Amino acid sequence: MTLIAEPRTAPALRWGILGAGNIAGHFTDALHAETESRAVAVGSRNQDKAARWAAAHGVETVHGSYDALVDDPQVDVVYVATPHSEHREHALLAIAAGKHVLVEKAFTRNAVEAREVLDAARAAGVFVMEAMWTRFLPHVQALHQVIDSGEIGEVVSVFADHGQAFPLDPSSRLFAPELAGGALLDLGVYPVSFAHDLLGAPRSVHAVGQLTDTGVDGQIGIVLDYGDRTQATLSTTLWAKTPTTAAITGTDGTITVEGSFYAPSRFTVTRRDGRVWTFDRPTPHGLQFEAAEVARRIAEGATESPRITWQQTLEVMTTMDTIREQIGLRYPGE
C-alpha cells in the first residue's frame, strides 16, 4: 500500500492565524510539531486574548485586528478559524490582501457564500482550500486505495455518524443561530463530506431533524441517494456522544473505521471470502497533513487541491443547504 508523503517534507510557509480559538491552537501545535512551516502571527479583535493565545502556542507576532493580520507582510497564508458565520467575510478579507487561505469547515454558512469566496479567489489568483483535514489523513488515503483496488467490490452503502454531548448553553457558538451554530455545520459536515469523498454528489437528499431551544439543529438523520443500489446513511447530534464510526460496504466485503473516523484512526477490512486484515498507522496530531497539502499546492502554483476541489466544496455546501431546508433551519441574514 502506497504511503502518503510525510508532512515534514512539504515546503515551509509562514502562516497567519485569524481567530485565537481552540481549533486554531490545535492547528498551530500540529504545524509546529510536524512540519517545517510556522505560525508567525495571530490576529484577534481582542488583543489580550490573542497575546495569551500566542504565548501558549509559540507565536511571536500579535495583531489586535484581522485587517492588521492579513496585511502583515511576513504572512504567506491565512488560516481562518473564526465561527462559521464569519468565514465568508474573513476569507474575502485575506483574499483582498493577496493572501492564500485555508478556511475551517464548514467552509461558509451556505453555497452562495462559498461561491462568492471562490469567485474572489479565482479573480485574485490565490490558493483557497476548505480545511477538511479528514481527507488528508493516512487512513483515509488508504481507504481509497483499498476501494480502488476492488478489495470490497462495488460500494453499496456508506455509514458515518458524528455526535458529541454538549449541555445547552445559549452563550455558546454551538447553540447560537447568529453564529451559524448547530450540529450540521460543526459536526455533521464530517459524515457528509466523508460520503461525498467516497461517492461524490448525491442524486437526492432526505433529512429529518429536531431543533434546539435556541433554534439551531440539535440532531439530524440523513440519507443520500446515489441511484441504482448505492446510498449513504449519516447522522449527527449535539445531544449525545455517538460511536463516531464509519463503514463502507461493498459486494465483496466491508471496511469498518474505528471512532473517531474523521481523526487519525484504523480500519478493518472483512471480505466475504473470510479474509480479515487491519490498517493501523499511529499518527500524532493530524492537522499537519492538510497544512502540508496547502504548502505543496502553493509551491507548484495551484489555486486548489485535487483532494478537495472548489467544486467539491460547493457540492458539500449545497448538500448541507438542502438538509437545512428540509428540517426548516435558516440562519439570521440568509
Side-chain angles (χ1 to χ4, degrees):
M1 183 169 293
T2 304
L3 296 179
I4 65 172
E6 288 296 331
R8 200 170 292 282
T9 65
L13 286 178
R14 298 173 301 176
W15 288 81
I17 310 299
L18 196 156
N22 289 333
I23 185 61
H26 293 316
F27 177 83
T28 301
D29 291 346
L31 191 75
H32 290 172
E34 306 292 342
T35 79
E36 297 301 314
S37 294
R38 289 296 177 267
V40 297
V42 60
S44 172
R45 294 191 179 109
N46 184 327
Q47 186 147 358
D48 289 341
K49 176 184 178 183
R52 291 192 300 272
W53 186 97
H57 299 287
V59 177
E60 292 187 1
T61 303
V62 176
H63 294 292
S65 74
Y66 299 138
D67 294 89
L69 175 76
V70 301
D71 288 336
D72 188 333
Q74 69 178 328
V75 170
D76 300 315
V77 56
V78 172
Y79 172 57
V80 174
T82 46
H84 307 124
S85 56
E86 311 303 311
H87 286 182
R88 168 194 168 276
E89 176 187 348
H90 295 153
L92 290 174
L93 187 71
I95 291 167
K99 296 298 197 296
H100 305 292
V101 191
L102 177 66
V103 185
E104 254 311 320
K105 75 294 165 215
F107 189 69
T108 50
R109 293 189 302 177
N110 53 52
V112 170
E113 292 183 351
R115 191 171 286 107
E116 186 177 357
V117 170
L118 297 175
D119 285 346
R122 184 178 293 107
V126 298
F127 179 91
V128 170
M129 190 180 87
E130 178 184 358
M132 179 46 73
W133 64 309
T134 305
R135 295 203 180 196
F136 304 98
L137 295 175
H139 76 285
V140 175
Q141 299 291 310
L143 276 176
H144 279 277
Q145 293 180 39
V146 172
I147 293 169
D148 292 346
S149 73
E151 181 83 353
I152 64 168
E154 175 195 354
V155 174
V156 173
S157 72
V158 171
F159 165 84
D161 80 279
H162 190 184
Q164 302 290 343
F166 295 102
L168 178 61
D169 178 4
S171 67
S172 166
R173 67 171 183 84
L174 287 169
F175 292 94
E178 67 275 13
L179 297 180
L184 182 62
L185 264 59
D186 205 79
L187 308 178
V189 63
Y190 283 107
V192 171
S193 188
F194 185 73
H196 181 280
D197 187 24
L198 297 172
L199 301 174
R203 185 177 69 176
S204 62
V205 178
H206 310 272
V208 294
Q210 296 83 34
L211 304 184
T212 68
D213 291 342
T214 61
V216 299
D217 54 306
Q219 181 164 273
I220 310 176
I222 306 157
V223 175
L224 305 181
D225 172 34
Y226 290 91
D228 296 329
R229 54 180 182 172
T230 304
Q231 64 180 220
T233 304
L234 317 172
S235 65
T236 185
T237 183
L238 294 177
W239 293 328
K241 176 66 173 72
T242 64
T244 65
T245 56
I248 305 101
T249 299
T251 51
D252 292 327
T254 294
I255 305 170
T256 304
V257 188
E258 296 182 6
S260 300
F261 79 87
Y262 53 84
S265 187
R266 51 185 274 166
F267 64 79
T268 298
V269 178
T270 305
R271 286 176 44 89
R272 284 181 59 194
D273 62 13
R275 188 162 71 91
V276 178
W277 61 274
T278 297
F279 174 88
D280 187 9
R281 176 185 168 182
T283 303
H285 300 288
L287 293 164
Q288 67 269 20
F289 291 97
E290 66 177 4
E293 174 71 2
V294 173
R296 291 190 178 102
R297 298 304 171 187
I298 289 174
E300 68 185 25
T303 55
E304 59 186 311
S305 166
R307 279 295 290 128
I308 184 159
T309 66
W310 293 357
Q311 180 60 33
Q312 289 168 347
T313 288
L314 285 171
E315 289 170 357
V316 169
M317 291 307 310
T318 298
T319 296
M320 293 198 296
D321 285 353
T322 303
I323 292 167
R324 288 199 296 116
E325 181 181 3
Q326 291 184 6
I327 68 169
L329 174 60
R330 290 180 64 85
Y331 299 122
E334 282 192 305

